């Protein structure tokens, strides 16, 4: 299997799932977090004008890593992911990523130079 990673600077961007992440007792709020997202094609074929067309939809699931962000716990989490042993939570909506506006700027965007 192929795994892709992305890093998000939460000081600059707001991930919609961040508000729904479980509390991790004993860990700093600013500690790195790891969220696993898995998309799987779901859907059947539909007849359209005598032709069969594939209607594909995505079923999106997520799982948050709840342990310390260190090599051994993260490795265990990723191995469980690859082995299919994690119980994933279905998502009703696609997660979004938005530019986080700072208090000092009038319009928050990466191209905003203040002029």
């Amino acid at each position: 299997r192929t795994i892709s990673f992305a890093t998000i600077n939460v000081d600059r961007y707001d991930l919609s799932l961040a508000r729904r992440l479980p509390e991790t007792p004993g860990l700093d709020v600013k500690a790195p977090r790891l969220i696993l997202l898995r998309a799987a094609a779901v859907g059947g074929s539909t007849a359209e004008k005598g032709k069969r067309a594939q209607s594909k939809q995505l079923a999106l699931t997520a799982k948050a890593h709840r342990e310390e962000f260190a090599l051994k716990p993260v490795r265990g989490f990723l191995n469980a992911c690859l082995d299919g042993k994690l119980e994933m939570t279905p998502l009703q909506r696609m997660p979004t990523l938005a530019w986080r506006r700072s208090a000092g700027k009038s319009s928050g965007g990466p191209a905003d130079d203040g002029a």
Side-chain angles (χ1 to χ4, degrees), residues 57-71:
Q57 294 180 343
L58 289 178
L60 192 61
T61 57
K63 179 70 175 181
H65 179 254
R66 298 176 187 216
E67 298 177 44
E68 178 186 10
F69 196 81
L71 180 61

Side-chain angles (χ1 to χ4, degrees), residues 5-113:
F5 293 92
T7 58
I8 300 171
N9 181 346
V10 294
D11 289 333
R12 295 185 136 194
Y13 296 98
D14 181 33
L15 178 65
S16 61
L17 290 178
R19 293 180 290 276
R20 293 179 179 87
L21 289 177
E23 291 289 328
T24 309
L27 292 184
D28 183 18
V29 176
K30 295 277 188 177
R33 299 296 304 261
L34 181 63
I35 305 169
L36 171 67
L37 299 172
R38 180 177 286 162
V42 176
S45 59
T46 58
E48 186 177 308
K49 296 183 182 180
K51 296 180 181 179
R52 293 182 64 113
Q54 290 294 323
S55 171
K56 290 188 179 180
Q57 294 180 343
L58 289 178
L60 192 61
T61 57
K63 179 70 175 181
H65 179 254
R66 298 176 187 216
E67 298 177 44
E68 178 186 10
F69 196 81
L71 180 61
K72 191 172 182 176
V74 170
R75 183 179 285 161
F77 180 76
L78 294 176
N79 283 335
C81 163
L82 291 174
D83 294 341
K85 296 179 182 178
L86 292 179
E87 184 177 332
M88 306 288 288
T89 302
L91 299 178
Q92 299 298 320
R93 290 185 224 137
M94 187 74 68
T96 59
L97 189 62
W99 181 258
R100 185 182 299 265
R101 292 185 180 177
S102 65
K105 291 188 179 179
S106 59
S107 66
D112 185 19
D113 59 2

